[in-house]
Amino acid sequence: MTNQSRRWVKSSYSGGDNGNCVELAVGEAALPVRDSKCADEGPVVEFGREAFAVFLGSVAKGR
């Protein structure tokens, strides 16, 4: 699937002024993540759902 055909969602931490931040594509087996400042030509990193859940849990705990 190409970056343009994915449904990307911007992080809620991007701020209310449409600031640039991290986006992830929803509705896929893996979770593709990209930097919204270079969305079309920048790299995409894909995480497995379990690995992403562990990452979010660690961030929430301040690790």
Side-chain angles (χ1 to χ4, degrees):
M1 186 174 288
T2 66
N3 283 349
Q4 290 79 17
S5 63
R6 289 177 160 151
R7 186 168 67 100
W8 292 96
V9 178
K10 193 175 289 191
S11 167
S12 60
Y13 290 96
S14 294
D17 61 354
N18 247 353
N20 293 317
C21 197
V22 173
E23 296 177 317
L24 66 99
V26 295
E28 299 189 26
L31 292 170
V33 178
R34 71 181 183 182
D35 182 344
S36 64
K37 293 184 296 297
C38 51
D40 292 329
E41 66 280 349
V44 174
V45 178
E46 293 192 7
F47 294 91
R49 291 187 175 274
E50 185 176 327
F52 197 71
V54 170
F55 168 72
L56 290 179
S58 296
V59 170
K61 294 176 183 174
R63 295 184 190 160

